[in-house]
Amino acid sequence: MAFLNDNYLKLKAGYLFPEIGRRVKVFCEANPEAAKRLIRCGIGDVTEPLPPAVVAALHQAVDEMGARPSFKGYGPEQGYDWLRGAIAKHDFRDRGIEVADDEIFVSDGSKCDCGNILDILGHENRLAISDPVYPVYVDTNVMAGHTGAADDSGAYAGIIYLPCTPANGFIPEPPKEHVDVIYLCSPNNPTGAVATRAQLEAWVKYAIEHKAVILFDAAYEAYINDPAIPHSIYEIPGARECAIEFRSFSKNGGFTGVRCAFIVVPKTLNAQTQSGESKPLHPLWLRRMTTKFNGVSYLVQRAAEALYSSAGKAQVKALIEHYMGNAKVLREGATKAGLQVFGGVNAPYIWVRTPVGVTSWQAFDKILGDANVVITPGSGFGSQGEGYFRISSFNSRANAEEVARRLQELKW
Ligand SMILES: *Cc1c(COP(=O)(O)O)cnc(C)c1O
């Protein structure tokens, strides 16, 4: 008999969102009237339609594909030059950050990139991952066999968890011990925290001293309001020698259903071979992409390019303002309700402390049952998330206002 990948059996079987779905279904079946007023602030998916500049670019690209002279077959696996160039210019060089066009690799999503990057990293790396965290970082390492089994709290042997708490502003400090690969996410999902320049400088210093690689997830960089907060890890001197950055069009352009993202792999970033030789990672990622990927569709790359047009930029700005307006309404509503609130200023997520003695899942059930609102229990993002819940501001303004109102009516 063929062997399966045993590592998959170690996974805490996709517990969080299926369990939320199950509880919501049970509640709605038992309370059909309440179900009609249900508002979902759970899963981190955008709600507003695509920017008009994107829609126009898609229409035009479809017409090109439908005519013999402008039809396109396979494109370059790592992305068309015009898109890589637009990204490198607008997101980096125009902001004074050194990134070359060919250091950009276009993909069909950051989630895939986060998992795929493990292809070019060794199996013996010591991993540091923040807690609570976007579950993809942990689960992809479990699948790749980089961990032992999970304990009762859901923590896997072999991962160094970095607790994110109010004491450190939910941004972890570098650990005392040595690690080789570090996952950082700022602005953060789920806590809505952002790393300051000084905090990122400390991480880059650590990574250079330890010859470690930082995997920096900046999927929510467009939500940063505070001009002092870095949008890219490459704003920190030295980061080109120690960091890979993940970006996505999902949360700025509303591309969660369109699918397009990119990573930056600087040509100056090295890691070591089994024999201890220092070699660049860039050629390995290029080789991985050209072997295992056939590129993002022409249509989608044209759609992504349109986000960098002046109309596209203005429309993205309006989308972000819409969601951040919701974040403000939700923050204020939760604060007036007497809850302790974090995040939601430079990120679309509000991280809320449950009232004393109430667990994350108890808060979930209470808010579902009494306010008919779906939130995400913090414990689903890691053991340090216990005692918190996440409210997403991806919604209509009317829904955000209604949720803010209902939170204030809740009697705990
Ligand atoms: C939504 C999100 C992404 C984007 O994923 P895509 O696959 O590009 O849609 C990446 N990282 C985090 C933390 C996210 O929440």
Side-chain angles (χ1 to χ4, degrees):
M1 190 182 268
F3 293 97
L4 54 72
N5 181 348
D6 279 77
N7 297 313
Y8 278 63
L9 307 181
K10 295 179 202 161
L11 291 165
K12 290 273 188 174
Y15 174 71
L16 178 61
F17 290 106
E19 178 60 17
I20 291 175
R22 191 190 68 76
R23 291 193 192 203
V24 172
K25 188 162 176 275
V26 168
F27 175 77
C28 290
E29 281 168 5
N31 304 279
E33 279 311 307
K36 287 186 198 146
R37 63 195 290 272
L38 191 77
I39 301 179
R40 292 176 193 274
C41 292
I43 295 178
D45 194 359
V46 296
T47 54
E48 302 308 295
L50 291 173
V54 167
V55 175
L58 280 167
H59 281 300
Q60 194 191 326
V62 168
D63 288 342
E64 285 176 50
M65 291 294 262
R68 185 174 299 278
S70 49
F71 170 76
K72 306 277 185 304
Y74 292 122
E77 290 91 343
Q78 60 276 41
Y80 281 101
D81 286 345
W82 37 261
L83 179 57
R84 301 170 87 193
I87 292 169
K89 176 183 180 327
H90 292 275
D91 281 335
F92 299 99
R93 292 197 297 267
D94 281 359
R95 310 177 67 106
I97 305 164
E98 179 196 350
V99 167
D101 295 4
D102 64 353
E103 293 176 325
I104 307 285
F105 293 86
V106 179
S107 77
D108 57 348
S110 267
K111 195 193 220 188
C112 329
D113 284 338
C114 286
N116 291 337
I117 199 70
L118 297 181
D119 271 14
I120 63 162
L121 298 173
H123 292 299
E124 44 289 279
N125 287 318
R126 285 171 65 80
L127 304 167
I129 305 185
S130 37
D131 176 9
V133 77
Y134 181 51
V136 177
Y137 314 147
V138 174
D139 288 358
T140 52
N141 276 290
V142 176
M143 290 171 174
H146 296 167
T147 73
D151 68 14
D152 290 341
S153 76
Y156 292 92
I159 293 181
I160 293 159
Y161 288 92
L162 308 169
C164 302
T165 64
N168 59 21
F170 299 97
I171 299 294
E173 306 78 35
K176 299 277 174 286
E177 66 256 69
H178 172 82
V179 298
D180 302 297
V181 174
I182 300 142
Y183 288 81
L184 295 178
C185 176
S186 174
N188 193 267
N189 177 10
T191 65
V194 276
T196 62
R197 185 171 300 273
Q199 286 168 324
L200 291 180
E201 280 168 357
W203 273 110
V204 167
K205 183 165 175 277
Y206 174 94
I208 288 175
E209 275 166 19
H210 288 264
K211 296 186 162 47
V213 173
I214 297 173
L215 302 177
F216 188 73
D217 185 341
Y220 297 94
E221 70 72 37
Y223 291 83
I224 295 172
N225 276 317
D226 181 345
I229 301 293
H231 287 241
S232 165
I233 187 88
Y234 305 117
E235 291 181 43
I236 311 302
R240 286 183 52 83
E241 280 70 50
C242 65
I244 292 175
E245 183 161 301
F246 296 73
R247 291 275 188 107
S248 171
F249 299 111
S250 285
K251 313 295 169 31
N252 62 355
F255 273 36
T256 53
V258 174
R259 312 303 309 139
C260 197
F262 63 91
I263 69 170
V264 185
V265 186
K267 282 174 274 184
T268 42
L269 170 64
N270 283 17
Q272 65 168 326
T273 64
Q274 290 292 328
S275 58
E277 258 183 289
S278 176
K279 296 255 187 202
L281 284 169
H282 185 277
L284 273 64
W285 186 250
L286 179 62
R287 185 58 206 250
R288 192 235 166 248
M289 290 294 271
T290 50
T291 301
K292 290 198 179 179
F293 191 53
N294 245 338
V296 174
S297 87
Y298 175 73
L299 312 176
V300 166
Q301 292 192 63
R302 282 295 185 203
E305 183 193 34
L307 294 170
Y308 294 102
S309 66
S310 52
K313 279 184 180 177
Q315 291 158 10
V316 167
K317 191 163 170 278
L319 273 177
I320 304 289
E321 279 169 6
H322 165 74
Y323 292 128
M324 290 310 287
N326 290 349
K328 185 164 185 285
V329 166
L330 290 163
R331 265 184 70 88
E332 287 172 1
T335 306
K336 278 192 204 142
L339 295 161
Q340 196 183 0
V341 176
F342 303 93
V345 176
N346 293 292
Y349 297 117
I350 326 280
W351 189 241
V352 185
R353 198 165 217 165
T354 58
V356 177
V358 179
T359 67
S360 294
W361 277 110
Q362 285 166 346
F364 174 90
D365 289 334
K366 174 87 181 164
I367 297 170
L368 174 62
D370 293 1
N372 310 137
V373 172
V374 184
I375 49 84
T376 315
S379 54
F381 297 103
S383 59
Q384 296 290 326
E386 180 54 85
Y388 295 88
F389 60 90
R390 188 190 75 175
I391 314 178
S392 157
S393 46
F394 293 123
N395 226 316
S396 66
R397 182 59 47 82
N399 274 352
E401 283 168 354
E402 179 62 14
V403 170
R405 203 182 59 72
R406 291 189 202 169
L407 284 175
Q408 292 170 66
E409 281 175 358
L410 266 183
K411 301 273 175 292
W412 290 90

Short mmCIF file of all heavy atoms in Angstrom, two decimals, residues 44 108-112 114 134 137 185 187-189 217 219-220 247-251 255-256 259-261 349 390, ligand 1:
data_model
loop_
_atom_site.label_atom_id
_atom_site.label_comp_id
_atom_site.label_asym_id
_atom_site.label_seq_id
_atom_site.Cartn_x
_atom_site.Cartn_y
_atom_site.Cartn_z
N GLY A 44 -12.41 36.92 7.49
CA GLY A 44 -11.77 38.12 6.95
C GLY A 44 -11.85 38.19 5.44
O GLY A 44 -10.84 38.09 4.77
N ASP A 108 -0.86 33.65 -7.40
CA ASP A 108 -2.32 33.64 -7.29
C ASP A 108 -2.79 33.81 -5.85
O ASP A 108 -3.96 33.60 -5.55
CB ASP A 108 -2.90 32.35 -7.88
CG ASP A 108 -2.32 31.11 -7.24
OD1 ASP A 108 -1.32 31.21 -6.49
OD2 ASP A 108 -2.86 30.01 -7.47
N GLY A 109 -1.91 34.20 -4.94
CA GLY A 109 -2.38 34.48 -3.58
C GLY A 109 -1.27 34.37 -2.56
O GLY A 109 -0.32 33.60 -2.72
N SER A 110 -1.41 35.14 -1.51
CA SER A 110 -0.42 35.10 -0.43
C SER A 110 -0.51 33.82 0.38
O SER A 110 0.47 33.37 0.96
CB SER A 110 -0.65 36.26 0.53
OG SER A 110 0.12 37.35 0.18
N LYS A 111 -1.73 33.29 0.46
CA LYS A 111 -1.87 32.05 1.23
C LYS A 111 -1.00 30.97 0.59
O LYS A 111 -0.24 30.28 1.28
CB LYS A 111 -3.33 31.62 1.23
CG LYS A 111 -3.65 30.58 2.26
CD LYS A 111 -5.01 30.00 1.97
CE LYS A 111 -5.80 29.78 3.23
NZ LYS A 111 -7.04 29.04 2.98
N CYS A 112 -1.07 30.88 -0.75
CA CYS A 112 -0.25 29.89 -1.45
C CYS A 112 1.23 30.22 -1.28
O CYS A 112 2.03 29.33 -1.03
CB CYS A 112 -0.58 29.85 -2.94
SG CYS A 112 -2.26 30.25 -3.34
N CYS A 114 2.73 31.73 1.13
CA CYS A 114 3.18 31.40 2.50
C CYS A 114 3.48 29.91 2.62
O CYS A 114 4.42 29.52 3.30
CB CYS A 114 2.10 31.75 3.52
SG CYS A 114 1.93 33.50 3.81
N TYR A 134 -2.19 34.11 12.06
CA TYR A 134 -2.85 33.61 10.84
C TYR A 134 -2.49 32.12 10.74
O TYR A 134 -1.30 31.78 10.68
CB TYR A 134 -2.25 34.40 9.68
CG TYR A 134 -2.74 34.14 8.29
CD1 TYR A 134 -4.10 34.14 7.98
CD2 TYR A 134 -1.83 33.94 7.24
CE1 TYR A 134 -4.53 33.94 6.67
CE2 TYR A 134 -2.25 33.75 5.94
CZ TYR A 134 -3.59 33.75 5.65
OH TYR A 134 -4.01 33.57 4.36
N TYR A 137 0.61 29.90 8.60
CA TYR A 137 2.06 29.76 8.87
C TYR A 137 2.33 28.46 9.63
O TYR A 137 3.28 27.74 9.33
CB TYR A 137 2.62 30.92 9.70
CG TYR A 137 2.23 32.32 9.29
CD1 TYR A 137 2.08 33.32 10.24
CD2 TYR A 137 2.02 32.65 7.96
CE1 TYR A 137 1.74 34.61 9.89
CE2 TYR A 137 1.66 33.94 7.60
CZ TYR A 137 1.52 34.91 8.56
OH TYR A 137 1.16 36.18 8.22
N CYS A 185 3.77 39.42 10.87
CA CYS A 185 2.63 39.91 10.10
C CYS A 185 2.23 41.27 10.64
O CYS A 185 1.82 41.37 11.79
CB CYS A 185 1.46 38.92 10.20
SG CYS A 185 -0.04 39.46 9.37
N PRO A 187 0.43 45.13 9.14
CA PRO A 187 -0.58 45.08 10.19
C PRO A 187 -1.08 43.64 10.40
O PRO A 187 -1.17 42.88 9.45
CB PRO A 187 -1.70 45.97 9.66
CG PRO A 187 -1.02 46.89 8.67
CD PRO A 187 0.07 46.09 8.07
N ASN A 188 -1.41 43.36 11.65
CA ASN A 188 -1.61 41.96 12.02
C ASN A 188 -3.06 41.49 11.88
O ASN A 188 -4.00 42.16 12.24
CB ASN A 188 -1.16 41.77 13.48
CG ASN A 188 -1.05 40.31 13.85
OD1 ASN A 188 -1.99 39.73 14.35
ND2 ASN A 188 0.09 39.72 13.57
N ASN A 189 -3.17 40.29 11.36
CA ASN A 189 -4.38 39.50 11.46
C ASN A 189 -4.03 38.40 12.46
O ASN A 189 -3.07 37.68 12.20
CB ASN A 189 -4.71 38.89 10.09
CG ASN A 189 -5.91 37.99 10.14
OD1 ASN A 189 -6.61 37.93 11.13
ND2 ASN A 189 -6.13 37.26 9.05
N ASP A 217 4.73 39.26 6.33
CA ASP A 217 3.42 39.29 5.67
C ASP A 217 2.82 40.68 5.83
O ASP A 217 2.44 41.09 6.92
CB ASP A 217 2.51 38.22 6.31
CG ASP A 217 1.17 38.09 5.60
OD1 ASP A 217 0.78 39.01 4.86
OD2 ASP A 217 0.52 37.05 5.81
N ALA A 219 0.11 41.86 4.04
CA ALA A 219 -1.14 41.82 3.26
C ALA A 219 -2.04 43.03 3.54
O ALA A 219 -2.83 43.42 2.69
CB ALA A 219 -1.91 40.53 3.57
N TYR A 220 -1.89 43.61 4.73
CA TYR A 220 -2.77 44.73 5.11
C TYR A 220 -2.05 46.08 5.12
O TYR A 220 -2.51 47.01 5.77
CB TYR A 220 -3.39 44.45 6.49
CG TYR A 220 -4.27 43.23 6.50
CD1 TYR A 220 -3.76 42.00 6.87
CD2 TYR A 220 -5.60 43.31 6.12
CE1 TYR A 220 -4.55 40.86 6.86
CE2 TYR A 220 -6.40 42.18 6.10
CZ TYR A 220 -5.86 40.95 6.48
OH TYR A 220 -6.66 39.84 6.46
N ARG A 247 2.97 40.19 -0.20
CA ARG A 247 1.95 41.21 -0.42
C ARG A 247 0.80 40.56 -1.19
O ARG A 247 1.00 39.58 -1.92
CB ARG A 247 2.50 42.36 -1.26
CG ARG A 247 3.55 43.22 -0.58
CD ARG A 247 2.91 44.30 0.26
NE ARG A 247 3.91 45.23 0.75
CZ ARG A 247 4.07 46.48 0.30
NH1 ARG A 247 3.29 46.96 -0.66
NH2 ARG A 247 5.00 47.26 0.81
N SER A 248 -0.37 41.15 -1.08
CA SER A 248 -1.54 40.59 -1.74
C SER A 248 -2.45 41.70 -2.22
O SER A 248 -2.50 42.77 -1.60
CB SER A 248 -2.29 39.70 -0.74
OG SER A 248 -3.53 39.31 -1.28
N PHE A 249 -3.16 41.47 -3.31
CA PHE A 249 -4.17 42.43 -3.77
C PHE A 249 -5.54 42.11 -3.19
O PHE A 249 -6.52 42.77 -3.51
CB PHE A 249 -4.22 42.45 -5.30
CG PHE A 249 -2.91 42.86 -5.94
CD1 PHE A 249 -2.14 41.95 -6.65
CD2 PHE A 249 -2.44 44.15 -5.79
CE1 PHE A 249 -0.92 42.33 -7.21
CE2 PHE A 249 -1.23 44.55 -6.34
CZ PHE A 249 -0.47 43.64 -7.05
N SER A 250 -5.60 41.10 -2.32
CA SER A 250 -6.90 40.66 -1.79
C SER A 250 -7.56 41.74 -0.95
O SER A 250 -8.76 41.97 -1.06
CB SER A 250 -6.72 39.41 -0.93
OG SER A 250 -6.52 38.29 -1.76
N LYS A 251 -6.81 42.38 -0.05
CA LYS A 251 -7.44 43.25 0.93
C LYS A 251 -7.38 44.71 0.50
O LYS A 251 -8.13 45.52 1.02
CB LYS A 251 -6.79 43.04 2.31
CG LYS A 251 -6.64 41.57 2.73
CD LYS A 251 -7.95 40.86 2.92
CE LYS A 251 -7.86 39.34 3.08
NZ LYS A 251 -6.72 38.73 3.67
N PHE A 255 -9.43 41.70 -4.12
CA PHE A 255 -9.16 40.58 -5.04
C PHE A 255 -9.32 39.20 -4.40
O PHE A 255 -8.76 38.24 -4.91
CB PHE A 255 -7.73 40.71 -5.58
CG PHE A 255 -7.59 41.57 -6.81
CD1 PHE A 255 -8.35 42.71 -6.98
CD2 PHE A 255 -6.68 41.25 -7.81
CE1 PHE A 255 -8.22 43.51 -8.11
CE2 PHE A 255 -6.53 42.03 -8.94
CZ PHE A 255 -7.30 43.16 -9.10
N THR A 256 -10.03 39.08 -3.29
CA THR A 256 -10.09 37.75 -2.65
C THR A 256 -10.67 36.70 -3.61
O THR A 256 -10.28 35.55 -3.56
CB THR A 256 -10.88 37.78 -1.33
OG1 THR A 256 -12.16 38.39 -1.57
CG2 THR A 256 -10.16 38.58 -0.26
N ARG A 259 -7.93 36.69 -7.17
CA ARG A 259 -6.70 35.98 -6.85
C ARG A 259 -5.45 36.58 -7.50
O ARG A 259 -5.16 36.29 -8.66
CB ARG A 259 -6.78 34.47 -7.22
CG ARG A 259 -8.00 33.73 -6.76
CD ARG A 259 -8.23 33.77 -5.25
NE ARG A 259 -7.06 33.40 -4.50
CZ ARG A 259 -6.66 34.02 -3.39
NH1 ARG A 259 -7.36 35.00 -2.88
NH2 ARG A 259 -5.58 33.63 -2.78
N CYS A 260 -4.76 37.40 -6.79
CA CYS A 260 -3.43 37.85 -7.24
C CYS A 260 -2.65 38.41 -6.05
O CYS A 260 -3.23 39.11 -5.21
CB CYS A 260 -3.54 38.91 -8.33
SG CYS A 260 -2.01 39.16 -9.25
N ALA A 261 -1.39 38.07 -6.00
CA ALA A 261 -0.51 38.52 -4.92
C ALA A 261 0.91 38.51 -5.46
O ALA A 261 1.14 38.21 -6.63
CB ALA A 261 -0.64 37.57 -3.73
N TYR A 349 -9.01 44.96 11.52
CA TYR A 349 -9.49 44.06 12.57
C TYR A 349 -9.46 44.73 13.94
O TYR A 349 -8.52 45.43 14.28
CB TYR A 349 -8.63 42.79 12.63
CG TYR A 349 -8.73 41.99 11.36
CD1 TYR A 349 -7.61 41.77 10.57
CD2 TYR A 349 -9.96 41.50 10.91
CE1 TYR A 349 -7.70 41.05 9.38
CE2 TYR A 349 -10.06 40.79 9.73
CZ TYR A 349 -8.93 40.57 8.97
OH TYR A 349 -9.02 39.88 7.80
N ARG A 390 -12.21 38.57 17.69
CA ARG A 390 -11.88 39.47 16.58
C ARG A 390 -13.16 39.92 15.88
O ARG A 390 -14.01 39.08 15.56
CB ARG A 390 -10.98 38.74 15.56
CG ARG A 390 -10.43 39.64 14.48
CD ARG A 390 -9.75 38.85 13.36
NE ARG A 390 -10.73 38.20 12.50
CZ ARG A 390 -10.45 37.52 11.40
NH1 ARG A 390 -9.20 37.37 11.03
NH2 ARG A 390 -11.40 36.96 10.67
C1 LIG B 1 -6.06 37.71 3.74
C2 LIG B 1 -4.65 37.46 4.14
C3 LIG B 1 -3.68 37.20 3.18
C4 LIG B 1 -4.01 37.22 1.71
O1 LIG B 1 -4.20 35.96 1.21
P1 LIG B 1 -4.55 35.76 -0.32
O2 LIG B 1 -4.28 34.30 -0.52
O3 LIG B 1 -3.63 36.62 -1.12
O4 LIG B 1 -5.98 36.11 -0.52
C5 LIG B 1 -2.37 36.99 3.59
N1 LIG B 1 -2.03 37.04 4.89
C6 LIG B 1 -2.93 37.29 5.84
C7 LIG B 1 -2.50 37.37 7.26
C8 LIG B 1 -4.28 37.49 5.50
O5 LIG B 1 -5.17 37.73 6.46
#
